């Protein structure tokens, strides 16, 4: 068997979509799993769709996702050039198109815009589709030559018979047959001399020895035409894997409007590259067991493309958040702190020990922007209602809380050591003396110093960060608040 060679072949038309990254990832995994080569080819023959800077986004994304290519525009592997506009300069596409013309599998077409506009169109899936009527197929050799000699603009079209069927094979969908009459004589070479994507991908995949092609299933309907090109040249076609659609939670095609359709958007929103890559791997593929967390190396080991599913994959942001949280929990603390620090600084202006706060939130957040909600109370106690002191399970009420806080205030005023351990010991001693449950004391204290139902750490951890002075200010304020409430209830 020949060496597995896959390619990611993006058109530089903008941001890198989740679907694009999935194709790249699967191509990468198929190659690496088999010890093969992963290649990057830039498909820039559609000059109208070209977006400045889009190629840089592709390089940046592949690099940060860890999808190192073995060959590409910046890494010659003997199959270059790797950019289609550069490949074109050698005349390769024209040369192959002419071969097809010689074999009767393609023909020159000189129809002008006016004539093409007058042809019948059909509406297929909401799009207007024009079926070319083979008008120029009937031109004699002499007429064609005369037209060419006079410099008349032309395109070269694929000649697809009106009878018969064409069958191609996809790894997921099996054999698919279509009536030739349904296939349009698509343009192979445009009037500007550039090949269409439809033609260039076939010529390039063959001449670059590509063995497996992974792409979105929007290309499924064109695949029979590609198959006819392979057959016309007498080439073996690569293994085709057309991936299922990625939808949003409402089962609609994932669109820009959903806000998380592009890789860069997700990173800006605070997701980790590793988590995004891991999550995207599971958009259409699953391992034999139900395992979900994989490093890239583990994916390489496990990835079997036969296990890719045909059903649409739902992009579930809740699941991605969960996964991101798992990555944060597992992350080395120093790296976590480095990444969390800007978010902490944005929320906290006072002079706190940010490392301690980071350690508290590490296991509780799912993405970095969650930090703000978890730490806001360090800056100032939010408005809260005294009813927060009532906790059924802890058996507390505003009254019991007031009593506990009043009793604890002098003890905490006398306490010098405001480390978590020392404070915890003090509170436990008080609990033991009182003969009550832990929560009966911890709940009111934590409420007093945070004003929140949920905090990233326990009462004493919070007090350690706040320090003695601020902790006491908050406890005194809580006593006053509870007293005022009691007064107003009378
Ligand atoms: N240039 C095409 C795109 O960006 C590639 C499709 C394919 O992988 O063949 O959609």
């Amino acid at each position: 068997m020949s060496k597995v060679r896959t390619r990611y072949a993006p058109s530089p038309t903008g941001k890198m979509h989740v679907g694009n990254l999935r194709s790249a990832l699967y191509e990468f995994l198929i190659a690496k799993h088999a010890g093969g080569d992963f290649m990057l080819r830039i498909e820039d023959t559609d000059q109208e769709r070209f977006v400045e800077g889009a190629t840089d986004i592709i390089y940046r994304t592949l690099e940060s996702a860890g999808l190192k290519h073995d060959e590409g525009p910046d890494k010659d592997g003997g199959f270059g050039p790797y950019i289609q506009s550069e490949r074109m300069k050698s005349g390769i596409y024209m040369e192959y198109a002419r071969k097809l013309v010689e074999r009767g599998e393609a023909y020159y077409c000189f129809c002008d815009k006016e004539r093409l506009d007058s042809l019948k169109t059909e509406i297929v899936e909401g799009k207007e589709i024009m079926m070319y009527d083979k008008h120029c197929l009937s031109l004699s050799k002499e007429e064609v030559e005369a037209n060419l000699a006079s410099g008349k603009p032309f395109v070269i079209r694929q000649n697809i018979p009106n009878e018969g069927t064409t069958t191609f094979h996809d790894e997921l969908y099996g054999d698919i047959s279509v009536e030739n009459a349904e296939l349009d004589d698509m343009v192979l070479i445009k009037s500007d001399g550039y090949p269409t994507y439809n033609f260039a991908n076939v010529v390039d995949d063959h001449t670059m020895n590509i063995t497996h092609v992974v792409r979105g299933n929007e290309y499924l309907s064109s695949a029979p035409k590609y198959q006819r090109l392979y057959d016309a040249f007498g080439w073996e076609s690569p293994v085709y894997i057309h991936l299922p659609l990625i939808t949003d939670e409402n089962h609609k095609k994932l669109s820009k409007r959903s806000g998380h359709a592009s890789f860069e958007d997700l990173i800006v929103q605070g997701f980790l590259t590793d988590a995004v890559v891991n999550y995207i791997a599971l958009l259409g593929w699953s391992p034999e067991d139900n395992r979900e967390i994989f490093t890239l190396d583990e994916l390489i080991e496990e990835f079997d493309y036969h296990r890719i599913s045909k059903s649409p994959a739902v992009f579930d942001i809740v699941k991605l958040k969960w996964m991101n949280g798992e990555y944060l929990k597992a992350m080395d603390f120093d790296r976590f702190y480095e990444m969390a620090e800007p978010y902490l600084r944005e929320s906290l202006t006072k002079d706190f020990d940010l490392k301690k706060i980071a350690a508290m939130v590490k296991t509780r957040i799912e993405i970095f922007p969650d930090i703000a909600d978890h730490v806001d109370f360090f800056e100032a106690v939010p408005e809260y209602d005294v009813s927060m002191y009532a906790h059924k399970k802890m058996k507390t009420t505003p009254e019991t809380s007031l009593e506990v806080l009043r009793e604890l205030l002098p003890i905490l005023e006398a306490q010098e050591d405001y480390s978590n351990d020392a404070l915890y010991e003090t509170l436990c001693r008080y609990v033991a003396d009182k003969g009550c449950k832990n929560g009966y004391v911890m709940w009111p204290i934590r409420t007093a110093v945070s004003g929140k139902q949920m905090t990233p750490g326990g009462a004493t951890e919070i007090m350690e960060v706040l320090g003695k002075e601020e902790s006491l200010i908050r406890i005194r304020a809580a006593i006053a608040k509870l007293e005022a409430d009691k007064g107003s209830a009378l």
Side-chain angles (χ1 to χ4, degrees):
M1 258 205 56
S2 56
K3 187 172 192 182
V4 169
R5 286 173 58 82
T6 63
R7 89 309 193 259
Y8 175 51
S11 305
T13 53
K15 287 186 179 175
M16 198 145 157
H17 267 234
V18 165
N20 300 138
L21 185 57
R22 181 183 59 172
S23 297
L25 176 61
Y26 286 8
E27 296 259 15
F28 172 84
L29 294 174
I30 289 171
K32 296 296 134 187
H33 183 78
D37 287 339
F38 171 61
M39 183 183 100
L40 173 64
R41 182 175 74 223
I42 304 292
E43 303 204 322
D44 61 346
T45 60
D46 194 346
Q47 297 291 305
E48 281 166 28
R49 289 176 64 219
F50 185 82
V51 172
E52 203 59 48
T55 311
D56 293 337
I57 295 181
I58 293 165
Y59 279 114
R60 237 185 298 136
T61 306
L62 291 182
E63 197 187 329
S64 69
L67 310 185
K68 259 209 188 123
H69 49 279
D70 302 288
E71 287 173 35
D74 55 343
K75 226 176 186 186
D76 189 16
F79 289 87
Y82 294 86
I83 301 179
Q84 283 182 334
S85 57
E86 282 176 27
R87 290 178 80 69
M88 194 185 111
K89 289 182 192 143
S90 68
I92 177 172
Y93 304 116
M94 197 50 122
E95 179 193 323
Y96 279 108
R98 287 213 180 95
K99 276 190 193 162
L100 290 178
V101 173
E102 279 162 27
R103 291 175 195 183
E105 297 282 350
Y107 56 95
Y108 289 92
C109 169
F110 302 93
C111 290
D112 57 17
K113 192 173 174 298
E114 211 177 8
R115 175 158 200 285
L116 293 176
D117 285 348
S118 71
L119 291 176
K120 260 206 353 235
T121 55
E122 271 175 56
I123 306 286
V124 180
E125 287 170 6
K127 274 193 228 142
E128 216 176 320
I129 304 283
M130 189 270 291
M131 290 283 269
Y132 184 64
D133 62 357
K134 288 185 182 286
H135 175 78
C136 288
L137 185 60
S138 57
L139 295 179
S140 68
K141 219 170 167 204
E142 292 69 33
E143 283 171 305
V144 169
E145 257 147 39
N147 280 343
L148 291 177
S150 70
K152 209 170 177 186
F154 68 87
V155 300
I156 297 182
R157 289 185 183 274
Q158 185 176 13
N159 182 18
I160 299 179
N162 284 329
E163 294 82 38
T165 57
T166 299
T167 303
F168 74 98
H169 183 80
D170 176 275
E171 280 301 300
L172 308 182
Y173 294 84
D175 282 342
I176 297 186
S177 296
V178 292
E179 298 292 328
N180 290 337
E182 286 173 18
L183 303 174
D184 180 43
D185 282 1
M186 68 175 180
V187 173
L188 307 178
I189 302 285
K190 294 181 278 187
S191 56
D192 61 4
Y194 276 88
T196 55
Y197 156 75
N198 291 317
F199 185 51
N201 91 87
V202 170
V203 171
D204 289 345
D205 285 341
H206 174 75
T207 54
M208 296 169 119
N209 284 3
I210 296 304
T211 57
H212 296 67
V213 167
V214 178
R215 60 180 158 221
N217 65 9
E218 66 268 26
Y219 288 98
L220 207 51
S221 59
S222 305
K225 299 182 203 172
Y226 306 153
Q227 187 61 50
R228 292 195 65 84
L229 292 173
Y230 279 102
D231 294 345
F233 284 120
W235 297 338
E236 199 185 319
S237 52
V239 172
Y240 284 125
I241 301 162
H242 288 93
L243 300 177
L245 190 71
I246 302 177
T247 73
D248 62 16
E249 290 89 340
N250 302 318
H251 304 281
K252 298 241 165 62
K253 190 174 176 206
L254 196 63
S255 72
K256 284 191 192 116
R257 241 171 304 135
S258 68
H260 37 256
S262 95
F263 175 76
E264 297 215 319
D265 290 343
L266 291 170
I267 300 306
V268 169
Q269 284 164 28
F271 288 97
L272 297 168
T273 306
D274 292 354
V276 173
V277 171
N278 187 157
Y279 181 70
I280 287 179
L282 301 179
L283 282 176
W285 173 84
S286 57
E288 241 169 285
D289 49 21
N290 286 331
R291 184 169 162 202
E292 294 187 298
I293 305 289
F294 292 91
T295 63
L296 193 57
D297 282 341
E298 288 164 349
L299 282 172
I300 291 173
E301 180 78 27
E302 291 293 322
F303 197 81
D304 172 1
Y305 68 78
H306 297 98
R307 295 191 56 82
I308 297 174
S309 152
K310 270 189 301 200
S311 4
V314 180
F315 187 95
D316 178 356
I317 194 82
V318 175
K319 177 94 184 264
L320 172 58
K321 276 194 182 148
W322 165 80
M323 191 172 272
N324 202 72
E326 294 302 299
Y327 272 80
L328 291 179
K329 280 183 202 143
M331 192 185 264
D332 161 78
F333 180 76
D334 288 342
R335 180 157 172 247
F336 176 82
Y337 181 68
E338 203 180 299
M339 297 181 85
E341 199 187 336
Y343 293 90
L344 290 166
R345 290 209 183 279
E346 201 172 301
S347 299
L348 304 170
T349 56
K350 292 187 185 158
D351 192 19
F352 292 117
D353 183 337
L354 295 186
K355 281 207 169 161
K356 275 191 189 145
I357 298 180
M360 281 187 199
V361 296
K362 186 168 183 284
T363 55
R364 290 177 167 89
I365 58 168
E366 290 188 318
I367 54 174
F368 286 114
D370 289 349
I371 284 180
D373 272 354
H374 279 85
V375 306
D376 54 356
F377 70 90
F378 281 111
E379 199 74 0
V381 178
E383 270 305 314
Y384 68 97
D385 196 87
V386 288
S387 62
M388 211 191 278
Y389 285 98
H391 195 296
K392 229 171 161 187
K393 213 170 127 220
M394 311 289 185
K395 296 202 166 49
T396 63
T397 64
E399 290 73 31
T400 67
S401 300
L402 180 57
E403 181 194 303
V404 164
L405 293 178
R406 273 183 179 152
E407 286 175 10
L408 273 171
L409 183 62
I411 300 174
L412 291 170
E413 280 171 343
Q415 171 105 5
E416 284 310 322
D417 185 352
Y418 260 63
S419 67
N420 177 28
D421 288 347
L423 286 165
Y424 194 72
E425 225 186 280
T426 303
L427 293 189
C428 287
R429 218 176 305 121
Y430 172 77
V431 164
D433 289 349
K434 211 169 168 63
C436 61
K437 287 254 168 66
N438 232 321
Y440 188 82
V441 172
M442 300 300 179
W443 182 261
I445 285 276
R446 197 173 60 106
T447 307
V449 295
S450 72
K452 292 190 83 163
Q453 294 268 9
M454 297 236 272
T455 54
T460 53
E461 281 173 279
I462 295 169
M463 288 161 80
E464 179 184 66
V465 171
L466 291 174
K468 182 171 176 177
E469 199 187 326
E470 178 65 18
S471 298
L472 291 176
I473 289 173
R474 292 184 182 198
I475 290 168
R476 286 188 200 111
I479 291 172
K481 188 179 174 86
L482 284 163
E483 280 171 348
D485 181 67
K486 203 173 154 189
S488 70
L490 286 177

